[in-house]
Amino acid sequence: MMKFTMVTSVLFCTVAANAQTWHFGVKADISYSALKGEGIKNKFAPGFQAGGFATYNITKQWAIQPELLYSFSQYKKGSDFLTYYNNYGRSAAGENISLASISVPLLVRYNLNKTLSFLAGPQYSYLVWDDESLLKNDRQAFRNSEFSANIGVQVNIEKVGFYARYNKGLSDINDIDDRYEWKSSHVQAGVAVRFQ
């Protein structure tokens, strides 16, 4: 506990000493998500993301931007689901799939000028809730962890940013078996508001 307190104190003092280079804010977006893989409809469906971000300026052009987001995505079961997962699947399974995750993108930001920024970087997501009935015995069909990659652009007007991003899943989130992969894709458009 003593070590944790000391580390936390040092981090707090470091952040406070460099407060002029840190900026904080909130963001929200509309997200269209699709899942590619056997037994799933590869069709984009609406969802959303909301959370906060921090930007640390390294130079005028370069910054890092970690974010903490709540992400909600929807998918559809394919009509051929039982063809691939006959031993596991429920014949009475519903078509709709809803997933909610806590997502942590760690982005590198390049400011072309005061108005236009480009962002790219990895993201880790952890599944915190799912609403699907694909498998027998109430077994979960999706893995808890997912790694993905982000790329996007942002238009900045004073303390408000309007952004568009593409997020591509890099890891297989199919937790049924190892025969087939499910990988996600997300197209996002939203608003970020900086407080400081």
PDB file of all heavy atoms in Angstrom, residues 90-123:
ATOM      1  N   ARG A  90     -27.653 -22.906 -30.318  1.00  0.00           N
ATOM      2  CA  ARG A  90     -29.053 -23.089 -29.951  1.00  0.00           C
ATOM      3  C   ARG A  90     -29.913 -22.837 -31.180  1.00  0.00           C
ATOM      4  O   ARG A  90     -29.785 -21.808 -31.833  1.00  0.00           O
ATOM      5  CB  ARG A  90     -29.464 -22.098 -28.853  1.00  0.00           C
ATOM      6  CG  ARG A  90     -28.835 -22.379 -27.526  1.00  0.00           C
ATOM      7  CD  ARG A  90     -29.290 -21.359 -26.496  1.00  0.00           C
ATOM      8  NE  ARG A  90     -30.749 -21.364 -26.384  1.00  0.00           N
ATOM      9  CZ  ARG A  90     -31.460 -20.339 -25.966  1.00  0.00           C
ATOM     10  NH1 ARG A  90     -30.877 -19.206 -25.660  1.00  0.00           N
ATOM     11  NH2 ARG A  90     -32.762 -20.424 -25.864  1.00  0.00           N
ATOM     12  N   SER A  91     -30.787 -23.760 -31.473  1.00  0.00           N
ATOM     13  CA  SER A  91     -31.657 -23.591 -32.645  1.00  0.00           C
ATOM     14  C   SER A  91     -32.630 -22.435 -32.438  1.00  0.00           C
ATOM     15  O   SER A  91     -33.080 -21.816 -33.400  1.00  0.00           O
ATOM     16  CB  SER A  91     -32.418 -24.884 -32.926  1.00  0.00           C
ATOM     17  OG  SER A  91     -33.144 -25.281 -31.779  1.00  0.00           O
ATOM     18  N   ALA A  92     -32.947 -22.122 -31.188  1.00  0.00           N
ATOM     19  CA  ALA A  92     -33.896 -21.038 -30.897  1.00  0.00           C
ATOM     20  C   ALA A  92     -33.191 -19.715 -30.607  1.00  0.00           C
ATOM     21  O   ALA A  92     -33.812 -18.790 -30.091  1.00  0.00           O
ATOM     22  CB  ALA A  92     -34.770 -21.428 -29.712  1.00  0.00           C
ATOM     23  N   ALA A  93     -31.914 -19.620 -30.931  1.00  0.00           N
ATOM     24  CA  ALA A  93     -31.150 -18.400 -30.626  1.00  0.00           C
ATOM     25  C   ALA A  93     -31.711 -17.206 -31.384  1.00  0.00           C
ATOM     26  O   ALA A  93     -32.090 -17.312 -32.547  1.00  0.00           O
ATOM     27  CB  ALA A  93     -29.679 -18.597 -30.995  1.00  0.00           C
ATOM     28  N   GLY A  94     -31.761 -16.060 -30.711  1.00  0.00           N
ATOM     29  CA  GLY A  94     -32.214 -14.833 -31.348  1.00  0.00           C
ATOM     30  C   GLY A  94     -31.192 -14.315 -32.352  1.00  0.00           C
ATOM     31  O   GLY A  94     -30.012 -14.671 -32.309  1.00  0.00           O
ATOM     32  N   GLU A  95     -31.653 -13.465 -33.246  1.00  0.00           N
ATOM     33  CA  GLU A  95     -30.779 -12.946 -34.301  1.00  0.00           C
ATOM     34  C   GLU A  95     -29.886 -11.807 -33.810  1.00  0.00           C
ATOM     35  O   GLU A  95     -28.759 -11.645 -34.260  1.00  0.00           O
ATOM     36  CB  GLU A  95     -31.640 -12.442 -35.464  1.00  0.00           C
ATOM     37  CG  GLU A  95     -30.828 -11.950 -36.643  1.00  0.00           C
ATOM     38  CD  GLU A  95     -31.695 -11.354 -37.741  1.00  0.00           C
ATOM     39  OE1 GLU A  95     -32.736 -10.746 -37.431  1.00  0.00           O
ATOM     40  OE2 GLU A  95     -31.295 -11.497 -38.904  1.00  0.00           O
ATOM     41  N   ASN A  96     -30.370 -11.021 -32.863  1.00  0.00           N
ATOM     42  CA  ASN A  96     -29.662  -9.823 -32.427  1.00  0.00           C
ATOM     43  C   ASN A  96     -28.560 -10.130 -31.413  1.00  0.00           C
ATOM     44  O   ASN A  96     -28.745 -10.942 -30.509  1.00  0.00           O
ATOM     45  CB  ASN A  96     -30.637  -8.818 -31.816  1.00  0.00           C
ATOM     46  CG  ASN A  96     -31.649  -8.326 -32.834  1.00  0.00           C
ATOM     47  OD1 ASN A  96     -31.318  -8.150 -34.001  1.00  0.00           O
ATOM     48  ND2 ASN A  96     -32.881  -8.123 -32.401  1.00  0.00           N
ATOM     49  N   ILE A  97     -27.436  -9.425 -31.586  1.00  0.00           N
ATOM     50  CA  ILE A  97     -26.286  -9.533 -30.686  1.00  0.00           C
ATOM     51  C   ILE A  97     -25.905  -8.117 -30.268  1.00  0.00           C
ATOM     52  O   ILE A  97     -25.701  -7.253 -31.113  1.00  0.00           O
ATOM     53  CB  ILE A  97     -25.087 -10.196 -31.397  1.00  0.00           C
ATOM     54  CG1 ILE A  97     -25.449 -11.600 -31.876  1.00  0.00           C
ATOM     55  CG2 ILE A  97     -23.858 -10.208 -30.496  1.00  0.00           C
ATOM     56  CD1 ILE A  97     -24.460 -12.178 -32.879  1.00  0.00           C
ATOM     57  N   SER A  98     -25.829  -7.883 -28.958  1.00  0.00           N
ATOM     58  CA  SER A  98     -25.402  -6.579 -28.437  1.00  0.00           C
ATOM     59  C   SER A  98     -24.233  -6.788 -27.489  1.00  0.00           C
ATOM     60  O   SER A  98     -24.285  -7.661 -26.619  1.00  0.00           O
ATOM     61  CB  SER A  98     -26.543  -5.888 -27.684  1.00  0.00           C
ATOM     62  OG  SER A  98     -27.635  -5.647 -28.544  1.00  0.00           O
ATOM     63  N   LEU A  99     -23.178  -5.983 -27.658  1.00  0.00           N
ATOM     64  CA  LEU A  99     -21.986  -6.085 -26.822  1.00  0.00           C
ATOM     65  C   LEU A  99     -21.609  -4.705 -26.298  1.00  0.00           C
ATOM     66  O   LEU A  99     -21.682  -3.714 -27.028  1.00  0.00           O
ATOM     67  CB  LEU A  99     -20.802  -6.642 -27.624  1.00  0.00           C
ATOM     68  CG  LEU A  99     -20.983  -7.990 -28.313  1.00  0.00           C
ATOM     69  CD1 LEU A  99     -19.727  -8.342 -29.105  1.00  0.00           C
ATOM     70  CD2 LEU A  99     -21.301  -9.083 -27.310  1.00  0.00           C
ATOM     71  N   ALA A 100     -21.177  -4.651 -25.046  1.00  0.00           N
ATOM     72  CA  ALA A 100     -20.685  -3.404 -24.454  1.00  0.00           C
ATOM     73  C   ALA A 100     -19.293  -3.655 -23.891  1.00  0.00           C
ATOM     74  O   ALA A 100     -19.051  -4.670 -23.237  1.00  0.00           O
ATOM     75  CB  ALA A 100     -21.623  -2.919 -23.361  1.00  0.00           C
ATOM     76  N   SER A 101     -18.381  -2.726 -24.161  1.00  0.00           N
ATOM     77  CA  SER A 101     -16.983  -2.874 -23.753  1.00  0.00           C
ATOM     78  C   SER A 101     -16.451  -1.580 -23.150  1.00  0.00           C
ATOM     79  O   SER A 101     -16.955  -0.500 -23.449  1.00  0.00           O
ATOM     80  CB  SER A 101     -16.099  -3.221 -24.964  1.00  0.00           C
ATOM     81  OG  SER A 101     -16.552  -4.379 -25.604  1.00  0.00           O
ATOM     82  N   ILE A 102     -15.435  -1.719 -22.331  1.00  0.00           N
ATOM     83  CA  ILE A 102     -14.619  -0.586 -21.921  1.00  0.00           C
ATOM     84  C   ILE A 102     -13.408  -0.604 -22.845  1.00  0.00           C
ATOM     85  O   ILE A 102     -12.688  -1.602 -22.915  1.00  0.00           O
ATOM     86  CB  ILE A 102     -14.174  -0.700 -20.450  1.00  0.00           C
ATOM     87  CG1 ILE A 102     -15.398  -0.713 -19.525  1.00  0.00           C
ATOM     88  CG2 ILE A 102     -13.233   0.437 -20.091  1.00  0.00           C
ATOM     89  CD1 ILE A 102     -16.236   0.548 -19.570  1.00  0.00           C
ATOM     90  N   SER A 103     -13.201   0.477 -23.591  1.00  0.00           N
ATOM     91  CA  SER A 103     -12.138   0.541 -24.597  1.00  0.00           C
ATOM     92  C   SER A 103     -11.109   1.591 -24.211  1.00  0.00           C
ATOM     93  O   SER A 103     -11.457   2.661 -23.714  1.00  0.00           O
ATOM     94  CB  SER A 103     -12.715   0.887 -25.975  1.00  0.00           C
ATOM     95  OG  SER A 103     -13.650  -0.084 -26.361  1.00  0.00           O
ATOM     96  N   VAL A 104      -9.839   1.260 -24.438  1.00  0.00           N
ATOM     97  CA  VAL A 104      -8.731   2.165 -24.112  1.00  0.00           C
ATOM     98  C   VAL A 104      -7.839   2.330 -25.346  1.00  0.00           C
ATOM     99  O   VAL A 104      -6.916   1.559 -25.561  1.00  0.00           O
ATOM    100  CB  VAL A 104      -7.899   1.637 -22.923  1.00  0.00           C
ATOM    101  CG1 VAL A 104      -6.806   2.627 -22.541  1.00  0.00           C
ATOM    102  CG2 VAL A 104      -8.787   1.341 -21.725  1.00  0.00           C
ATOM    103  N   PRO A 105      -8.131   3.337 -26.192  1.00  0.00           N
ATOM    104  CA  PRO A 105      -7.222   3.650 -27.297  1.00  0.00           C
ATOM    105  C   PRO A 105      -6.014   4.439 -26.774  1.00  0.00           C
ATOM    106  O   PRO A 105      -6.164   5.272 -25.879  1.00  0.00           O
ATOM    107  CB  PRO A 105      -8.068   4.536 -28.223  1.00  0.00           C
ATOM    108  CG  PRO A 105      -9.463   4.482 -27.696  1.00  0.00           C
ATOM    109  CD  PRO A 105      -9.366   4.102 -26.258  1.00  0.00           C
ATOM    110  N   LEU A 106      -4.850   4.171 -27.318  1.00  0.00           N
ATOM    111  CA  LEU A 106      -3.647   4.951 -27.034  1.00  0.00           C
ATOM    112  C   LEU A 106      -3.147   5.473 -28.379  1.00  0.00           C
ATOM    113  O   LEU A 106      -2.520   4.755 -29.145  1.00  0.00           O
ATOM    114  CB  LEU A 106      -2.579   4.102 -26.343  1.00  0.00           C
ATOM    115  CG  LEU A 106      -1.293   4.825 -25.971  1.00  0.00           C
ATOM    116  CD1 LEU A 106      -1.577   6.032 -25.077  1.00  0.00           C
ATOM    117  CD2 LEU A 106      -0.328   3.889 -25.280  1.00  0.00           C
ATOM    118  N   LEU A 107      -3.458   6.739 -28.649  1.00  0.00           N
ATOM    119  CA  LEU A 107      -3.261   7.291 -29.981  1.00  0.00           C
ATOM    120  C   LEU A 107      -2.086   8.256 -30.044  1.00  0.00           C
ATOM    121  O   LEU A 107      -1.795   8.966 -29.077  1.00  0.00           O
ATOM    122  CB  LEU A 107      -4.527   8.034 -30.415  1.00  0.00           C
ATOM    123  CG  LEU A 107      -5.820   7.231 -30.338  1.00  0.00           C
ATOM    124  CD1 LEU A 107      -7.015   8.109 -30.626  1.00  0.00           C
ATOM    125  CD2 LEU A 107      -5.778   6.043 -31.285  1.00  0.00           C
ATOM    126  N   VAL A 108      -1.432   8.277 -31.184  1.00  0.00           N
ATOM    127  CA  VAL A 108      -0.450   9.306 -31.507  1.00  0.00           C
ATOM    128  C   VAL A 108      -1.181  10.326 -32.370  1.00  0.00           C
ATOM    129  O   VAL A 108      -1.891   9.964 -33.308  1.00  0.00           O
ATOM    130  CB  VAL A 108       0.756   8.714 -32.267  1.00  0.00           C
ATOM    131  CG1 VAL A 108       1.698   9.820 -32.727  1.00  0.00           C
ATOM    132  CG2 VAL A 108       1.489   7.711 -31.395  1.00  0.00           C
ATOM    133  N   ARG A 109      -1.003  11.591 -32.021  1.00  0.00           N
ATOM    134  CA  ARG A 109      -1.718  12.667 -32.719  1.00  0.00           C
ATOM    135  C   ARG A 109      -0.727  13.586 -33.413  1.00  0.00           C
ATOM    136  O   ARG A 109       0.238  14.038 -32.795  1.00  0.00           O
ATOM    137  CB  ARG A 109      -2.555  13.449 -31.707  1.00  0.00           C
ATOM    138  CG  ARG A 109      -3.275  14.637 -32.273  1.00  0.00           C
ATOM    139  CD  ARG A 109      -4.196  15.224 -31.218  1.00  0.00           C
ATOM    140  NE  ARG A 109      -4.732  16.504 -31.623  1.00  0.00           N
ATOM    141  CZ  ARG A 109      -5.843  17.021 -31.157  1.00  0.00           C
ATOM    142  NH1 ARG A 109      -6.548  16.352 -30.252  1.00  0.00           N
ATOM    143  NH2 ARG A 109      -6.256  18.193 -31.554  1.00  0.00           N
ATOM    144  N   TYR A 110      -0.955  13.831 -34.693  1.00  0.00           N
ATOM    145  CA  TYR A 110      -0.133  14.770 -35.456  1.00  0.00           C
ATOM    146  C   TYR A 110      -1.000  15.951 -35.865  1.00  0.00           C
ATOM    147  O   TYR A 110      -2.002  15.791 -36.565  1.00  0.00           O
ATOM    148  CB  TYR A 110       0.461  14.104 -36.701  1.00  0.00           C
ATOM    149  CG  TYR A 110       1.257  15.070 -37.550  1.00  0.00           C
ATOM    150  CD1 TYR A 110       2.501  15.524 -37.128  1.00  0.00           C
ATOM    151  CD2 TYR A 110       0.729  15.546 -38.747  1.00  0.00           C
ATOM    152  CE1 TYR A 110       3.226  16.423 -37.888  1.00  0.00           C
ATOM    153  CE2 TYR A 110       1.455  16.448 -39.513  1.00  0.00           C
ATOM    154  CZ  TYR A 110       2.695  16.884 -39.080  1.00  0.00           C
ATOM    155  OH  TYR A 110       3.410  17.792 -39.825  1.00  0.00           O
ATOM    156  N   ASN A 111      -0.644  17.149 -35.391  1.00  0.00           N
ATOM    157  CA  ASN A 111      -1.375  18.367 -35.715  1.00  0.00           C
ATOM    158  C   ASN A 111      -0.748  19.018 -36.946  1.00  0.00           C
ATOM    159  O   ASN A 111       0.337  19.595 -36.861  1.00  0.00           O
ATOM    160  CB  ASN A 111      -1.349  19.331 -34.533  1.00  0.00           C
ATOM    161  CG  ASN A 111      -1.965  18.725 -33.292  1.00  0.00           C
ATOM    162  OD1 ASN A 111      -3.039  18.155 -33.336  1.00  0.00           O
ATOM    163  ND2 ASN A 111      -1.269  18.824 -32.177  1.00  0.00           N
ATOM    164  N   LEU A 112      -1.419  18.911 -38.073  1.00  0.00           N
ATOM    165  CA  LEU A 112      -0.918  19.520 -39.297  1.00  0.00           C
ATOM    166  C   LEU A 112      -0.892  21.038 -39.146  1.00  0.00           C
ATOM    167  O   LEU A 112       0.041  21.709 -39.573  1.00  0.00           O
ATOM    168  CB  LEU A 112      -1.796  19.113 -40.487  1.00  0.00           C
ATOM    169  CG  LEU A 112      -1.343  19.591 -41.854  1.00  0.00           C
ATOM    170  CD1 LEU A 112      -0.008  18.968 -42.225  1.00  0.00           C
ATOM    171  CD2 LEU A 112      -2.397  19.239 -42.909  1.00  0.00           C
ATOM    172  N   ASN A 113      -1.930  21.560 -38.504  1.00  0.00           N
ATOM    173  CA  ASN A 113      -2.033  22.982 -38.168  1.00  0.00           C
ATOM    174  C   ASN A 113      -3.018  23.090 -37.011  1.00  0.00           C
ATOM    175  O   ASN A 113      -3.384  22.076 -36.409  1.00  0.00           O
ATOM    176  CB  ASN A 113      -2.451  23.820 -39.382  1.00  0.00           C
ATOM    177  CG  ASN A 113      -3.677  23.257 -40.072  1.00  0.00           C
ATOM    178  OD1 ASN A 113      -4.644  22.871 -39.422  1.00  0.00           O
ATOM    179  ND2 ASN A 113      -3.638  23.182 -41.400  1.00  0.00           N
ATOM    180  N   LYS A 114      -3.493  24.291 -36.695  1.00  0.00           N
ATOM    181  CA  LYS A 114      -4.423  24.446 -35.572  1.00  0.00           C
ATOM    182  C   LYS A 114      -5.782  23.803 -35.842  1.00  0.00           C
ATOM    183  O   LYS A 114      -6.516  23.497 -34.911  1.00  0.00           O
ATOM    184  CB  LYS A 114      -4.626  25.936 -35.259  1.00  0.00           C
ATOM    185  CG  LYS A 114      -3.450  26.577 -34.571  1.00  0.00           C
ATOM    186  CD  LYS A 114      -3.773  28.000 -34.199  1.00  0.00           C
ATOM    187  CE  LYS A 114      -2.598  28.618 -33.438  1.00  0.00           C
ATOM    188  NZ  LYS A 114      -2.871  30.012 -33.048  1.00  0.00           N
ATOM    189  N   THR A 115      -6.101  23.596 -37.094  1.00  0.00           N
ATOM    190  CA  THR A 115      -7.433  23.106 -37.455  1.00  0.00           C
ATOM    191  C   THR A 115      -7.493  21.605 -37.718  1.00  0.00           C
ATOM    192  O   THR A 115      -8.488  20.960 -37.393  1.00  0.00           O
ATOM    193  CB  THR A 115      -7.941  23.856 -38.712  1.00  0.00           C
ATOM    194  OG1 THR A 115      -7.867  25.255 -38.466  1.00  0.00           O
ATOM    195  CG2 THR A 115      -9.358  23.486 -39.038  1.00  0.00           C
ATOM    196  N   LEU A 116      -6.427  21.031 -38.276  1.00  0.00           N
ATOM    197  CA  LEU A 116      -6.491  19.644 -38.747  1.00  0.00           C
ATOM    198  C   LEU A 116      -5.489  18.749 -38.027  1.00  0.00           C
ATOM    199  O   LEU A 116      -4.303  19.056 -37.965  1.00  0.00           O
ATOM    200  CB  LEU A 116      -6.234  19.607 -40.261  1.00  0.00           C
ATOM    201  CG  LEU A 116      -6.515  18.302 -40.980  1.00  0.00           C
ATOM    202  CD1 LEU A 116      -7.982  17.905 -40.856  1.00  0.00           C
ATOM    203  CD2 LEU A 116      -6.112  18.409 -42.439  1.00  0.00           C
ATOM    204  N   SER A 117      -5.994  17.621 -37.485  1.00  0.00           N
ATOM    205  CA  SER A 117      -5.154  16.637 -36.796  1.00  0.00           C
ATOM    206  C   SER A 117      -5.414  15.244 -37.350  1.00  0.00           C
ATOM    207  O   SER A 117      -6.532  14.930 -37.762  1.00  0.00           O
ATOM    208  CB  SER A 117      -5.461  16.630 -35.288  1.00  0.00           C
ATOM    209  OG  SER A 117      -5.259  17.888 -34.722  1.00  0.00           O
ATOM    210  N   PHE A 118      -4.365  14.419 -37.331  1.00  0.00           N
ATOM    211  CA  PHE A 118      -4.467  13.020 -37.715  1.00  0.00           C
ATOM    212  C   PHE A 118      -4.113  12.173 -36.496  1.00  0.00           C
ATOM    213  O   PHE A 118      -3.179  12.505 -35.761  1.00  0.00           O
ATOM    214  CB  PHE A 118      -3.526  12.703 -38.883  1.00  0.00           C
ATOM    215  CG  PHE A 118      -3.852  13.482 -40.122  1.00  0.00           C
ATOM    216  CD1 PHE A 118      -3.184  14.666 -40.404  1.00  0.00           C
ATOM    217  CD2 PHE A 118      -4.833  13.043 -40.996  1.00  0.00           C
ATOM    218  CE1 PHE A 118      -3.487  15.398 -41.535  1.00  0.00           C
ATOM    219  CE2 PHE A 118      -5.146  13.776 -42.136  1.00  0.00           C
ATOM    220  CZ  PHE A 118      -4.473  14.951 -42.411  1.00  0.00           C
ATOM    221  N   LEU A 119      -4.853  11.076 -36.284  1.00  0.00           N
ATOM    222  CA  LEU A 119      -4.638  10.211 -35.124  1.00  0.00           C
ATOM    223  C   LEU A 119      -4.531   8.763 -35.559  1.00  0.00           C
ATOM    224  O   LEU A 119      -5.235   8.328 -36.473  1.00  0.00           O
ATOM    225  CB  LEU A 119      -5.795  10.355 -34.129  1.00  0.00           C
ATOM    226  CG  LEU A 119      -6.008  11.746 -33.549  1.00  0.00           C
ATOM    227  CD1 LEU A 119      -7.203  12.403 -34.189  1.00  0.00           C
ATOM    228  CD2 LEU A 119      -6.178  11.693 -32.061  1.00  0.00           C
ATOM    229  N   ALA A 120      -3.669   8.016 -34.876  1.00  0.00           N
ATOM    230  CA  ALA A 120      -3.537   6.589 -35.156  1.00  0.00           C
ATOM    231  C   ALA A 120      -2.958   5.902 -33.926  1.00  0.00           C
ATOM    232  O   ALA A 120      -2.202   6.513 -33.170  1.00  0.00           O
ATOM    233  CB  ALA A 120      -2.639   6.349 -36.368  1.00  0.00           C
ATOM    234  N   GLY A 121      -3.325   4.633 -33.743  1.00  0.00           N
ATOM    235  CA  GLY A 121      -2.751   3.887 -32.633  1.00  0.00           C
ATOM    236  C   GLY A 121      -3.561   2.662 -32.263  1.00  0.00           C
ATOM    237  O   GLY A 121      -4.655   2.426 -32.790  1.00  0.00           O
ATOM    238  N   PRO A 122      -3.038   1.878 -31.307  1.00  0.00           N
ATOM    239  CA  PRO A 122      -3.704   0.645 -30.886  1.00  0.00           C
ATOM    240  C   PRO A 122      -4.825   0.908 -29.882  1.00  0.00           C
ATOM    241  O   PRO A 122      -4.906   1.981 -29.287  1.00  0.00           O
ATOM    242  CB  PRO A 122      -2.562  -0.144 -30.232  1.00  0.00           C
ATOM    243  CG  PRO A 122      -1.678   0.924 -29.666  1.00  0.00           C
ATOM    244  CD  PRO A 122      -1.738   2.063 -30.650  1.00  0.00           C
ATOM    245  N   GLN A 123      -5.657  -0.109 -29.721  1.00  0.00           N
ATOM    246  CA  GLN A 123      -6.754  -0.032 -28.750  1.00  0.00           C
ATOM    247  C   GLN A 123      -6.948  -1.391 -28.105  1.00  0.00           C
ATOM    248  O   GLN A 123      -6.879  -2.423 -28.762  1.00  0.00           O
ATOM    249  CB  GLN A 123      -8.047   0.398 -29.448  1.00  0.00           C
ATOM    250  CG  GLN A 123      -9.273   0.412 -28.548  1.00  0.00           C
ATOM    251  CD  GLN A 123     -10.490   0.953 -29.260  1.00  0.00           C
ATOM    252  OE1 GLN A 123     -10.476   2.062 -29.774  1.00  0.00           O
ATOM    253  NE2 GLN A 123     -11.555   0.173 -29.298  1.00  0.00           N
TER     254      GLN A 123
END
